[in-house]
Amino acid sequence: MPVFCNFGAPGSATNQPAEIASYWQFPGDVSNFQRPTFSGPAAGTYPLFNASNANITDTSFVRLRNIALSYSIPSEVLSKLKIRDLRIYAEAQNVFTLTNYKGLNPESQNGATSLPPLRIITTGLQITL
């Protein structure tokens, strides 16, 4: 059964995982999810669900945080251009995360306030005359 890590109660005005769309709609439907509601007796079940072991999920992940590549042009080529050093570089942070975790950030599962780190890519050219 999928888990609602880092999501508000079904039926509330918050984002929900796609799995919630498979809720039961008619008597006799078979589903892991009840009809979303934010009022009435069914609304009281979400805190119980959240406090139960049904809310335990696998948070394992593999994340490539930083990578840096650079290339210095050989001095034989640069001497003709009267340049002492020329370096081309690219750096990236938070390149990718591999996980089956349903929430926003498997590294800190503390609700919607913990967004995953931003991906930053920087490229440049360093010239020394």
Side-chain angles (χ1 to χ4, degrees):
M1 178 171 162
V3 184
F4 300 112
C5 300
N6 296 339
F7 295 99
S12 63
T14 60
N15 290 332
Q16 298 292 313
E19 290 89 352
I20 194 68
S22 67
Y23 65 86
W24 61 263
Q25 298 179 22
F26 304 103
D29 284 353
V30 177
S31 175
N32 289 329
F33 307 106
Q34 68 186 30
R35 182 185 309 256
T37 181
F38 202 61
S39 62
T45 61
Y46 182 71
L48 298 174
F49 169 83
N50 228 9
S52 76
N53 65 353
N55 203 23
I56 296 173
T57 186
D58 180 10
T59 59
S60 60
F61 67 96
V62 174
R63 179 175 281 163
L64 178 59
R65 286 192 186 272
N66 299 303
I67 188 167
L69 302 169
S70 69
Y71 179 74
S72 294
I73 306 297
S75 57
E76 307 83 52
V77 175
L78 297 176
S79 62
K80 297 174 188 173
L81 300 172
K82 298 186 181 181
I83 296 175
R84 198 169 356 147
D85 189 34
L86 176 62
R87 182 174 74 101
I88 302 167
Y89 65 90
E91 299 172 355
Q93 295 178 359
N94 306 311
V95 180
F96 66 83
T97 302
L98 301 175
T99 184
N100 287 326
Y101 181 66
K102 302 266 186 226
L104 296 173
N105 186 4
E107 193 167 11
S108 62
Q109 312 94 37
N110 63 349
T113 59
S114 177
L115 293 173
L118 294 175
R119 179 177 300 133
I120 300 170
I121 300 173
T122 306
T123 61
L125 185 67
Q126 182 180 8
I127 301 172
T128 305
L129 301 175

